[in-house]
Amino acid sequence: ATTYPAFAGTVRLVKRWLAAHWLLRSHVTEEAVELLCAHAFVGSGRAKAGQSDESVPASKERGFARVVAFLKDWDWANGVFVPIYEDKDVGAGQEGSRVVVTAGSKAVWTVATDFDKEGHMWTAEGPDNVVANRVKSLAQATWNVLQQGAESGSLDVKALFVHPVDDYDFVVQLDVSALPRYTQNILADPVVWARKGKYANLQRQSAALAAPVPRSGFDPAQMFWDDIKRVHADTLKIFYDPIGGDRFGAIWDPSLKQPRPFRVMNHFSSIPVTKDIEKTKDKDKALVVLNESAVLSEIIRLGSGIVKA
C-alpha cells in the first residue's frame, strides 16, 4: 500500500466496473481482477519497491484507465505474467501458457505469477471465450468514452458503469424491496427505502412490528442466481451484478435452437419441432428444439417472491 498507494483504489474501481457490467464473480474472479490490476503497476518491467517510475499510476483513476487500456488490446491467447512475488522482475517478458481458444473453452485467460506458472489458479472456471470477448468489447467502449471525455473536458463517470441490456435474449427484473444489497446499486432509487405514510408515530409502530431480523450474508438475489446457473447450466449463460444488482440477463445456448434428435438425457427442456407431417421424413419426426417458454416459466417459479411480476 505504501509502495503503490493507488493500487487499492484501482482494484475497487475495476471490480465495481466489472460488477456493474454483470461479469464480476460469476464469470471473472476477484483474484484475477486483482492480478490484472497489479500488472498495471508491476508488469512489463515497471518499477519495484525503492525505484521510481513515472509510468506507474499515481491515482486510482489513472490505474483504472490503464487496466481498461490493457484489456481492450490484450491478446489473451498468449496470457500475461505478473511478477508480484519477487523483488526483481525475474519474469519480465515471460508469457503465460498459450491457450488454444475454442468456442466451448471454459477458461481462456492465463494470468501467471511466480507461484502459479500455469496461470489458471484463478481463471480455471472462466472467463470462457464468449465472456472474454465481451470484456474486450466492454473495455474498448469504455476506453472510447474516456477518450471522448478527455478531449471534451467533460466526462459522465456514471455512464461508465451503466450496463446496456440490448444484447441479452431476455432480462429478469427483480423486486428491489426484497434485495438487501439494493442500496449498493449504481442507479439505486432512494424512494425504495424512504419512509412511507402520513403520520410519523404510525411509521414507528409499523417499523417496530416489522423489524427485520439480521441475517449475516443473506443475499436472495445471489442465491437465486446460483440456482438458475445450476439448473440451467446446459441451456443458457446468465449475467448479474453481485453488488446491488436488480436484474439478470441471459443468452440462450445458440446450438439448442437447431433441431436435434430427441434423447432422454438431453439436459435441457425441449419441445417437438412442428413441421408439415406430409412433407417430413420419418427420421425427422423426432426432432426437438429448446423450449424457451418452459425455461422462462421455470425461472419465474424459482424466483417466486423475488421476481417482479
Side-chain angles (χ1 to χ4, degrees):
T2 56
T3 305
Y4 303 112
F7 174 71
T10 298
V11 171
R12 287 194 291 270
L13 274 177
V14 175
K15 284 184 179 181
R16 195 65 186 91
W17 174 68
L18 286 171
H21 291 288
W22 303 5
L23 296 170
L24 187 68
R25 298 180 190 169
S26 57
H27 299 283
V28 181
T29 64
E30 295 192 50
E31 293 83 358
V33 175
E34 291 167 8
L35 287 175
L36 291 176
C37 290
H39 181 264
F41 289 83
V42 303
S44 302
R46 292 198 176 92
K48 291 291 186 177
Q51 301 177 357
S52 62
D53 189 339
E54 294 180 355
S55 66
V56 173
S59 67
K60 60 182 182 297
E61 293 82 6
R62 177 59 180 164
F64 172 75
R66 175 159 292 174
V67 174
V68 169
F70 172 76
L71 289 174
K72 75 179 179 67
D73 296 326
W74 182 25
D75 179 11
W76 30 261
N78 291 325
V80 64
F81 179 82
V82 186
I84 60 174
Y85 292 108
E86 298 290 342
D87 290 335
K88 296 182 179 180
D89 201 359
V90 296
Q94 178 177 340
E95 293 183 347
S97 303
R98 183 167 182 82
V99 181
V100 178
V101 180
T102 60
S105 181
K106 194 172 184 179
V108 299
W109 277 9
T110 298
V111 185
T113 65
D114 293 310
F115 184 76
D116 174 29
K117 297 187 182 299
E118 293 297 322
H120 292 295
M121 179 175 291
W122 307 115
T123 61
E125 297 299 321
D128 60 12
N129 190 31
V130 173
V131 174
N133 279 307
R134 184 177 287 255
V135 172
K136 195 178 186 74
S137 299
L138 173 63
Q140 182 63 64
T142 301
W143 180 256
N144 292 340
V145 173
L146 290 173
Q147 290 290 88
Q148 293 171 5
E151 294 173 359
S152 65
S154 176
L155 174 63
D156 182 4
V157 176
K158 184 174 286 188
L160 300 175
F161 299 86
V162 176
H163 185 57
V165 297
D166 297 337
D167 293 334
Y168 295 105
D169 289 323
F170 67 89
V171 175
V172 177
Q173 178 66 53
L174 305 180
D175 183 358
V176 296
S177 64
L179 306 180
R181 302 195 65 172
Y182 177 68
T183 56
Q184 298 173 317
N185 192 296
I186 291 292
L187 300 175
D189 184 0
V191 174
V192 173
W193 57 83
R195 291 184 176 181
K196 300 178 178 64
K198 184 176 181 180
Y199 302 103
N201 60 332
L202 294 179
Q203 292 176 7
R204 287 193 293 269
Q205 291 176 11
S206 60
L209 292 174
V213 178
R215 294 184 175 90
S216 178
F218 178 64
D219 190 347
Q222 183 65 52
M223 296 166 67
F224 181 38
W225 184 91
D226 291 338
D227 281 342
I228 296 176
K229 184 178 181 181
R230 174 179 54 82
V231 174
H232 298 291
D234 299 317
T235 303
L236 50 82
K237 190 179 295 294
I238 189 169
F239 301 84
Y240 168 63
D241 178 1
I243 309 178
D246 62 335
R247 291 180 296 174
F248 289 96
I251 55 176
W252 301 112
D253 183 340
S255 66
L256 300 182
K257 296 183 179 182
Q258 300 299 321
R260 62 178 63 191
F262 171 77
R263 292 188 179 89
V264 176
M265 299 298 290
N266 257 340
H267 298 292
F268 68 94
S269 178
S270 60
I271 188 173
V273 175
T274 56
K275 291 185 177 181
D276 187 346
I277 298 179
E278 295 181 357
K279 297 181 180 180
T280 303
K281 298 180 181 179
D282 291 340
K283 65 178 182 179
D284 294 333
K285 289 183 179 179
L287 295 180
V288 296
V289 293
L290 175 65
N291 189 348
E292 296 181 3
S293 61
V295 174
L296 291 174
S297 297
E298 176 69 6
I299 290 175
I300 294 174
R301 186 191 67 80
L302 284 173
S304 178
I306 189 175
V307 172
K308 190 172 183 179

